[in-house]
Amino acid sequence: YAIGRLVLWSSALAAHHPQRVQDLADPAYAKIAIANPKTAPYGLAAEQAFARAGIAPRIAPRIVQAENIGQALQFAQSRNADVCLTALSLVIEDKTDPYVIVPDSLHDPITQSLGLVRTTTQTTQALEFIDFLTGQDSAKIWKRYGYTLPKPPKTR
């Protein structure tokens, strides 16, 4: 129903502000926070971006692994990390601290998906909620928070 966007975020108080993923190869970025790539899609996307940008081996010792994107952001907000990779949706309303969107070509799509629990006793409400999340009214909300929308399936 939506596709997340990965960003490089740094505190306005930080000494350096990357403009692209490749900038992280600079040793000035001593600690780079990302979410756990084994459990967090944005962490996996960050690893893919490092690999596709050709900087993974050079920055590997400087990666600080957070449990999730929120914690990765907290590491950078508290300046315990110089920069983090997190979700655009978490920082899109931040008018103080700089961030740069990581090009989608550097990572696989961060698809937001949902499922209906087969054993639910509230099927009607669940289906209504799914209709809301995937409907036109919600599309405006997703876009406002920095998500892109998947292309509609092709019809014959």
Side-chain angles (χ1 to χ4, degrees):
Y1 60 90
I3 300 169
R5 302 295 307 275
L6 182 67
V7 297
L8 285 166
W9 183 96
S10 57
S11 167
L13 301 173
H16 305 281
H17 305 287
Q19 298 302 305
R20 56 195 190 113
V21 171
Q22 292 84 343
D23 293 347
L24 299 179
D26 185 330
Y29 301 100
K31 293 182 182 173
I32 303 162
I34 68 169
N36 183 340
K38 292 184 176 136
T39 58
Y42 286 87
L44 178 60
E47 278 194 339
Q48 291 170 345
F50 300 150
R52 292 180 190 171
I55 63 168
R58 289 185 285 177
I59 67 167
R62 296 184 274 135
I63 298 294
V64 178
Q65 193 173 105
E67 288 299 312
N68 54 55
I69 55 174
Q71 188 179 48
L73 180 59
Q74 288 174 346
F75 287 171
Q77 286 173 327
S78 65
R79 299 189 48 216
N80 287 306
D82 300 296
V83 64
C84 73
L85 282 89
T86 191
L88 174 58
S89 60
L90 293 183
V91 300
I92 196 165
E93 293 185 337
D94 183 346
K95 304 302 181 210
T96 304
D97 303 295
Y99 63 84
V100 177
I101 297 174
V102 175
D104 293 335
S105 61
L106 290 180
H107 60 83
D108 294 345
I110 306 168
T111 56
Q112 311 298 303
S113 56
L114 57 86
L116 177 62
V117 178
R118 190 177 301 173
T119 58
T120 185
T121 58
Q122 300 179 9
T123 303
T124 302
Q125 294 90 336
L127 291 171
E128 287 172 358
F129 185 60
I130 289 170
D131 286 343
F132 169 73
L133 286 178
T134 59
Q136 290 295 60
D137 291 338
S138 289
K140 296 171 194 163
I141 298 168
W142 294 125
K143 288 178 184 178
R144 184 172 74 219
Y145 287 98
Y147 292 88
T148 60
L149 300 177
K151 292 180 178 40
K154 293 181 180 179
T155 56
R156 292 183 171 185

